[in-house]
Amino acid sequence: MEKKYHYPRPQLYRESFQSLDGTWILNQKPIQVPYPPQALLSYYDGQIKDFLHYQKTFVLEPQMSGKDKSVHLHFGAVDQKAKVYINHQCVGEHQGGYLPFWFDITTFLQEGENLLEVEVTDQLSYLYPYGKQRKKHKGMWYTPVSGIWQSVWLESVHSHYIQDLKITPTLESIQLHVETLADTYQVSIIGETLFFQETFIQKDIEIEIPLAYRHLWDVDDPYLYQLIIDTDDDHVESYFALRTVDIQGQHILLNHKPIFIHGVLDQGYFHDGLFLPYHMKEYEKDILRMKALGMNCLRKHMKIEPEAFYYACDCLGMLVIQDHVNNGKYHYMRDTVLPNIGLKFHFDYPKGKQLQKYIFQKHMLETLKHLYNHPCIIGYTIFNEGWGQMYADEMYQKCKQYDATRFYDATSGWFHQKLSDVQSEHIYFKNKVIKKTSDKPILLSECGGYTRLIKKHTYAQKHYGYGTTHSEKELTDKIIKMYEEMILPSIEYGLCGYIYTQLSDIEEEINGFYTYDRQICKVDTKRLLEYQKKINEKAKEFYSVVKRKLCK
């Protein structure tokens, strides 16, 4: 895995790579990229304004130059609007904040040293996706992140390079789309005892894995096949898994078998790097921490991570429900207070706000494209608690048209419309049996959030959460009580999983399984695992009963 952590795009790995991370100049002061200037790990001591001017000089490494080669400049993410210059010439612009982009800079380069400049405007505009960032950060809203916050890197390619891959798996085969200008390309697949190699002309092909060599991917056995694509002048390495996601009645199926989701809200914040950990391997550590607590799913909340996160989930067998990142305004009374006391109405913007709609839809579809090949992703949240919600049914249809291989929680929590693959509920402050209001699986997509303060491991003076505890036993008791009073009895009504809030503390919010610095686990792991066994047994029993009724 180490090689793929070093490379920012593990789904399309090639050797011609040069990192531009490290020391840059931001507004005439040094900064460590890719950390945002608000993060401790950036070592930036300048004033953070709405306009940021980055500078970096570089010389192409020997493997990057050569006859008939093009050089591409890649950015993992820049928040919110970026304009990029090479040697004082503009090479392109990008707007967004959470998705990668690149430019062909070949004709702008010169012999020897080159100057790269990035002009960033970040006013935290609600027109663009912003997630949980807020200038006046407190409670469930966190320190904003500006400018470059993912890796910057170069790669060099020839004219017949592999531009993109799209991999759609079943349990027996993969459908493979190869984007390239090459007339032919060679596909190699390597498994435990499998070696397949064939040359193709068509851009869209289907490759069946012989029965004797089929090895399915799941949470306990996350098996990945190695995929290699060669043209006459390019060589890339990728991977895929055999796995499917379906909904049958009131069950979510992984590989045609029901799975009960023990999930945790993962917001991807770190005490020293904010949007980034100290090292990409910290994603692996977070996944293993949650698996040790019996969790099999992370709901990636209002943030798109570097690909290293999804790669780690693919390798380690952690399911992911990925949120689309919200834009639009948030209203405290309408979106939080009233729904939490039971006043849930059918709010949705039926008309107007066309620019906001355009930007959200564009970002939503680009997110689906960007993350399509990762087997760990089983579902998406489109809108969360009404934040920026508009045209929810239309957005659901567009998602399904682009990617029907996952399920969609169209309106997580409340403000439900007509279309969604799950009945999604958020319940804090109380435990209650959840009754079905449709024939869809019930997903308790947020719950818990109980606080436990750990002195010397907090990072704000004020504290926030959804119920106070003062010891490991008290917090564990409260979670188990939630299991007993809400999770377990709701299974017979169609509950297929829950998402506990949350993986770690974040700033004022101290309701994590772990402290913000990941140094202390706040719960009794053994007791949680024991009760989760009861939940799994009840879920299997319910599925068996339903299956017998269907057979009759």
Side-chain angles (χ1 to χ4, degrees), residues 85-280:
Y85 299 82
I86 295 289
N87 298 320
H88 306 294
Q89 299 179 76
C90 181
V91 300
E93 301 179 31
H94 183 265
Q95 299 178 355
Y98 289 84
L99 289 172
F101 59 96
W102 64 273
F103 304 110
D104 187 334
I105 61 170
T106 311
T107 59
F108 299 91
L109 295 172
Q110 60 190 22
E111 289 287 335
E113 194 170 78
N114 291 272
L115 174 64
L116 166 59
E117 296 175 279
V118 185
E119 293 180 350
V120 181
T121 303
D122 182 11
Q123 297 173 315
L124 206 54
S125 167
Y126 292 158
L127 273 177
Y128 299 100
Y130 62 92
K132 299 297 289 288
Q133 303 179 65
R134 201 174 234 191
K135 287 187 177 180
K136 295 181 179 179
H137 48 95
K138 65 176 182 177
M140 66 179 184
W141 300 95
Y142 315 130
T143 300
V145 167
S146 299
I148 298 171
W149 70 270
Q150 286 191 34
S151 286
V152 185
W153 51 286
L154 302 169
E155 68 175 351
S156 63
V157 295
H158 290 281
S159 59
H160 291 169
Y161 76 105
I162 306 299
Q163 298 169 12
D164 202 6
L165 299 176
K166 186 177 182 181
I167 306 167
T168 306
T170 70
L171 300 187
E172 301 85 24
S173 63
I174 59 167
Q175 293 177 351
L176 179 63
H177 173 80
V178 179
E179 194 69 36
T180 180
L181 295 177
D183 294 330
T184 64
Y185 61 93
Q186 185 182 75
V187 177
S188 304
I189 296 175
I190 302 171
E192 288 168 314
T193 55
L194 169 68
F195 181 78
F196 166 91
Q197 192 171 79
E198 192 170 333
T199 299
F200 296 93
I201 299 174
Q202 315 95 301
K203 298 298 184 284
D204 292 281
I205 60 175
E206 183 170 2
I207 301 175
E208 183 174 352
I209 305 300
L211 179 62
Y213 303 107
R214 290 175 195 162
H215 193 154
L216 304 186
W217 183 100
D218 65 29
V219 293
D220 297 317
D221 185 14
Y223 185 79
L224 299 173
Y225 292 84
Q226 186 178 4
L227 175 66
I228 300 171
I229 313 287
D230 288 286
T231 69
D232 57 329
D233 60 13
D234 197 17
H235 170 91
V236 297
E237 298 175 20
S238 188
Y239 63 90
F240 68 88
L242 298 180
R243 75 101 184 87
T244 58
V245 179
D246 301 288
I247 286 184
Q248 183 182 84
Q250 292 183 305
H251 300 279
I252 293 174
L253 307 183
L254 181 66
N255 302 334
H256 302 329
K257 296 179 181 178
I259 184 167
F260 191 87
I261 292 173
H262 295 274
V264 61
L265 199 72
D266 177 7
Q267 307 206 56
Y269 276 78
F270 297 85
H271 78 286
D272 48 5
L274 291 181
F275 263 23
L276 286 182
Y278 172 72
H279 189 280
M280 292 294 110

Side-chain angles (χ1 to χ4, degrees), residues 286-319:
D286 265 358
I287 293 163
L288 294 175
R289 289 179 186 114
M290 293 303 104
K291 289 193 76 127
L293 288 172
M295 300 297 159
N296 59 18
C297 181
L298 300 177
R299 178 183 168 192
K300 180 52 66 175
H301 193 41
M302 297 302 185
K303 181 172 181 261
I304 298 165
E305 296 288 6
E307 277 205 70
F309 165 78
Y310 304 98
Y311 174 63
C313 291
D314 292 340
C315 291
L316 296 172
M318 179 61 82
L319 306 176

Side-chain angles (χ1 to χ4, degrees), residues 335-404:
D335 296 340
T336 297
V337 175
L338 294 178
N340 267 300
I341 63 174
L343 298 177
K344 303 177 183 179
F345 46 94
H346 293 279
F347 162 81
D348 193 62
Y349 278 113
K351 59 184 177 179
K353 299 187 180 295
Q354 291 303 306
L355 182 56
Q356 177 187 327
K357 176 190 176 185
Y358 169 79
I359 291 172
F360 178 83
Q361 179 179 303
K362 183 175 185 291
H363 193 270
M364 175 185 77
L365 295 176
E366 287 177 352
T367 299
L368 296 181
K369 182 179 187 296
H370 173 52
L371 299 177
Y372 187 87
N373 293 340
H374 289 283
C376 63
I377 298 177
I378 61 169
Y380 284 90
T381 306
I382 302 177
F383 293 107
N384 178 75
E385 295 184 351
W387 304 349
Q389 182 174 322
M390 54 163 40
Y391 302 91
D393 287 346
E394 181 182 337
M395 296 302 168
Y396 169 87
Q397 290 174 321
K398 290 185 181 297
C399 284
K400 275 292 188 184
Q401 288 168 3
Y402 186 87
D403 182 4

